[in-house]
Amino acid sequence: MSLKPKPINFTEKWNNLQETVKGVITLDRVPRDAWNERFNDVYSMCVAFPEPLGDQLYDSTKLFLENHVLELLTIIQTGGTANLLQNYFSYWQKYSKGVKYLHSLYQYLNNQHIKKHKLSEAEVLYGNITPDSTEQMEVGELGLDVWKHNMIVPLKDSMLELLLDEFDKQRHNISMATSLDIISGVINSFVVVQEFRKKYPLELYQSYFEQPFLEQSSAYFKREAARLLQECTVSEYMIKVLQILKEEGIRSKKYLHDSTYNKLRERCRQHMVGDHLKILHGECEAMIKEERRDDMHNIYLLLREVKDGMNSLVDIFREHIKQHGIKVIESLKQEQIYIHFIEEVLAVHKKYKSMVIDVFDNDLCFSGALDKAFTVIINYKLVKNQPSKSPEYLSKYCDNLLKKSSKGMCEAEIDHKLLQSITIFKYVDDKDVFQRFYQRHLAKRLIHQQSQSMDGEEGMINKLKQACGYEFTNKLHRMFTDIRVSEGLNTKFHSEFLKSGDELSVNFSMYVLQTGAWPLGSLPVSSFAIPSQLIPCMQYFEEFYKEKFNGRKLTWLHHHCQGELKLNYLSKAYMVTMQTFQMAIMLVFEDHDTFKYTEIQELLQLNIEQFQKHINSLIECKLLLINGDNVSLNMAYFNKRTKLRITATLQKDTPQEIEQTVNSVEDDRKTYLQAAIVRIMKARKVLRHNQLVNEILSQSKSFAPSIALIKKSIETLIDKGYLERTPNSSDGYSYVA
């Protein structure tokens, strides 16, 4: 074969080519030799000399395809309405496959003649150019376009009616006259004939089939909704609608283009759910109040994709949780209320958290409702105009778990309960109040060596750090550092003392604690005449400490100290752990069995409040007896245990301590807010009142400051000269440099 252009007899070449084209388009057998020869004929016509014959070849091929399709149309129409879809599908299958082969045969015409004159994709999509009706298409596209205009358009109404009738039969469970493959194939042909188009490839499918189908579906959904609402309860109606949604989704995926799936479900939701929101919303309150989980799940599935459909459901769910939680809090037993508060509120949270996950598929709207409800529950004030007790209860609960007294629980169980308590902590508004209570409880555990485990203590602090940041737990970490440093100091003190050859009359150890890290107060609670037995230890240690750390001042906090006292005057020896003031009272009786009440107070120089508290604790545990004004040793004292601790009652929080803790937080808040305002104003220079308030609220992580407190802090800073009101604005402030 010669590739050189030469004169061509078009009629002769076309007659030969037409026979092969007919065989290809009808899927008859075409010998390979004939295929190769016709392939060369296409090339020869496209490069013919003196003038290429590509346009003539294109027009002749188009005319052949049009005539062929019109012949098929006549055959299909003659076959009658009953066989229309089946015959159409049968000829479409053969024709669409033949067009693909024909496209390959005309490859040279497509690539070298048609593509060179074709508009680019960018010109069609982004330019203001529309393809000319006379613009040539590649042969495969031409074949599909011919089928569209000469087959689909003439059969439009009759095929559409048959297709819609088949869908109607399915919806009413009537046996179909046409198989699934045929219906799916016919509908798919409306997509395939235009899928080569870059712009609006689904235009025929949507205008010819999809739109009428959706209109018919809408009418069906409306009728079905009206019928079901008359016949069923709301619970039954929801089940039926979900079943219809499921069936329509399956039907769409089987027969229709993917783009129709969401449109069909949207129509179903609108007519069967959206149009009847009032009825469905009317049932929400009852089903949530009665916690009918199946109904709640069903209504969630129906409402979640309807615009504004879930708002009412979410609000009712939030209010239900809130009322339930408040009811639980108000009915708590007063004995060990902090344990009941945490554990019962956690039980409520667990219940509704599982409901959010199982019933509402962990939807963010319902998770948010749960969080909002629990923010109210946790911060609920049992007494109006009084702060919430949750920070105090939570700290006490953790204290109870971390103490040695938490019997009957393994380490894993304690750790699990502490982890759960973080759930409550995250909802606490006054985190700074919790921090102060926790700091006080931790201090008592560390000083009195009451911690169950130091690993457990540090684990809890790490949990708090993850929830609230390093700054929140900074002081707690410093407390641990002080304990470790003090252990080292004790070791050094005793080793150096032994080298000196002296001996201490008592076993002695101490903690050196930083004033800023510990909530202990820097001043003693009372004057105190230190027992002579303890004076040498204190003097030796002060000398040792001054030698190591020159310039530092030690302040002894005797009211936080404790010791072990051995009782040798009874029938058997007892080792009793007690507070220093208690120990001092007992040591008074070392040489005498009886003293006057006032005489003991004068010897110890304790103020009346501290003296009464500590001597009464010794009388209550029956180590001392009181007769009128005389106090004496109980020489008949007996206890099954030989090791005792009588500090527990003294270590409990008193109302005064609780009030002092809350008041100290209030003072810290004022300082914090003033510092935050100065920092913000220094950076911004000028701000309006609302802008300043919003910035302060966004920066306050550990507590939610009241607007009144913010205003008061601003006024204080104006009085101090840090801020001033802007002259041209009634609600503006400027920073005074």
Side-chain angles (χ1 to χ4, degrees), residues 211-224:
Q211 193 56 39
F213 169 74
L214 290 174
E215 293 301 324
Q216 182 212 45
S217 299
S218 288
Y220 165 74
F221 297 142
K222 288 176 183 177
R223 289 195 307 272
E224 198 66 6

Side-chain angles (χ1 to χ4, degrees), residues 2 72 90 110 153 155 208 210 252 268 308 339 383 385 679:
S2 172
L72 296 179
S90 176
N110 293 331
V153 172
L155 294 176
Y208 172 36
E210 185 185 68
S252 175
C268 184
D308 300 328
I339 295 176
V383 180
N385 301 322
R679 186 169 59 248

Side-chain angles (χ1 to χ4, degrees), residues 575-696:
M575 293 294 293
V576 186
T577 302
M578 54 181 67
Q579 206 265 350
T580 307
F581 293 164
Q582 292 172 317
M583 186 183 292
I585 293 170
M586 291 298 293
L587 288 172
V588 168
F589 292 92
E590 193 164 33
D591 298 322
H592 298 83
D593 296 342
T594 304
F595 277 93
K596 294 286 185 187
Y597 192 89
T598 52
E599 194 178 356
I600 300 171
Q601 185 187 355
E602 287 171 7
L603 285 170
L604 296 178
Q605 297 176 21
L606 284 170
N607 65 35
I608 188 67
E609 181 190 349
Q610 289 294 319
F611 177 68
Q612 285 179 346
K613 182 170 79 169
H614 288 86
I615 198 167
N616 287 344
S617 68
L618 293 169
I619 292 168
E620 283 171 15
C621 71
K622 298 182 180 178
L623 282 173
L624 296 179
L625 299 174
I626 187 164
N627 183 12
D629 191 36
N630 292 326
V631 180
S632 60
L633 289 174
N634 181 7
M635 305 304 289
Y637 177 82
F638 175 79
N639 199 305
K640 289 180 181 179
R641 292 181 298 171
T642 55
K643 278 199 168 187
L644 311 171
R645 177 179 289 273
I646 59 170
T647 59
T649 54
L650 297 175
Q651 289 172 17
K652 287 182 180 178
D653 292 337
T654 63
Q656 293 84 356
E657 286 177 320
I658 292 169
E659 185 181 353
Q660 184 185 357
T661 301
V662 174
N663 290 339
S664 67
V665 171
E666 285 298 317
D667 294 338
D668 285 351
R669 285 182 176 183
K670 290 173 187 175
T671 306
Y672 173 86
L673 283 177
Q674 289 176 26
I677 293 167
V678 169
R679 186 169 59 248
I680 292 165
M681 291 303 299
K682 191 173 183 180
R684 302 292 292 274
K685 305 302 181 190
V686 178
L687 274 179
R688 298 180 77 87
H689 178 77
N690 287 342
Q691 292 173 315
L692 178 57
V693 169
N694 289 334
E695 289 224 25
I696 294 165

Side-chain angles (χ1 to χ4, degrees), residues 262-311:
N262 287 331
K263 296 176 186 176
L264 181 61
R265 286 176 67 84
E266 176 59 32
R267 294 277 181 124
C268 184
R269 285 186 184 278
Q270 181 57 44
H271 299 309
M272 303 198 83
V273 181
D275 293 349
H276 305 286
L277 277 180
K278 192 173 181 181
I279 296 171
L280 294 171
H281 282 162
E283 191 70 15
C284 286
E285 190 163 356
M287 68 176 68
I288 287 178
K289 198 170 183 180
E290 296 163 20
E291 297 187 0
R292 291 161 14 210
R293 294 171 75 99
D294 289 342
D295 283 352
M296 289 160 66
H297 182 61
N298 289 340
I299 201 166
Y300 162 71
L301 293 175
L302 292 177
L303 296 179
R304 65 180 173 181
E305 291 178 32
V306 175
K307 187 180 179 183
D308 300 328
M310 284 205 312
N311 294 350

Side-chain angles (χ1 to χ4, degrees), residues 45 303 333 345 434 475 596 639-640 662 703 724:
M45 285 187 270
L303 296 179
K333 296 175 184 176
V345 168
F434 168 83
K475 285 186 178 180
K596 294 286 185 187
N639 199 305
K640 289 180 181 179
V662 174
F703 71 101
E724 64 182 10

Side-chain angles (χ1 to χ4, degrees), residues 394-451:
L394 181 59
S395 181
K396 279 187 177 180
Y397 181 76
C398 296
D399 182 54
N400 189 59
L401 289 171
L402 290 163
K403 273 182 180 177
K404 286 180 180 176
S405 56
S406 57
K407 294 177 182 177
M409 283 190 282
C410 63
E411 194 174 327
E413 190 178 353
I414 292 171
D415 192 59
H416 175 68
K417 284 180 178 287
L418 290 171
L419 185 61
Q420 283 188 311
S421 69
I422 296 296
T423 302
I424 303 292
F425 173 73
K426 288 176 180 177
Y427 292 115
V428 170
D429 281 343
D430 298 329
K431 289 183 171 62
D432 54 343
V433 177
F434 168 83
Q435 181 195 39
R436 191 57 63 91
F437 274 109
Y438 191 89
Q439 194 181 9
R440 283 187 58 251
H441 290 140
L442 175 62
K444 288 184 178 182
R445 291 197 300 275
L446 293 177
I447 290 170
H448 300 301
Q449 299 173 353
Q450 283 293 292
S451 289

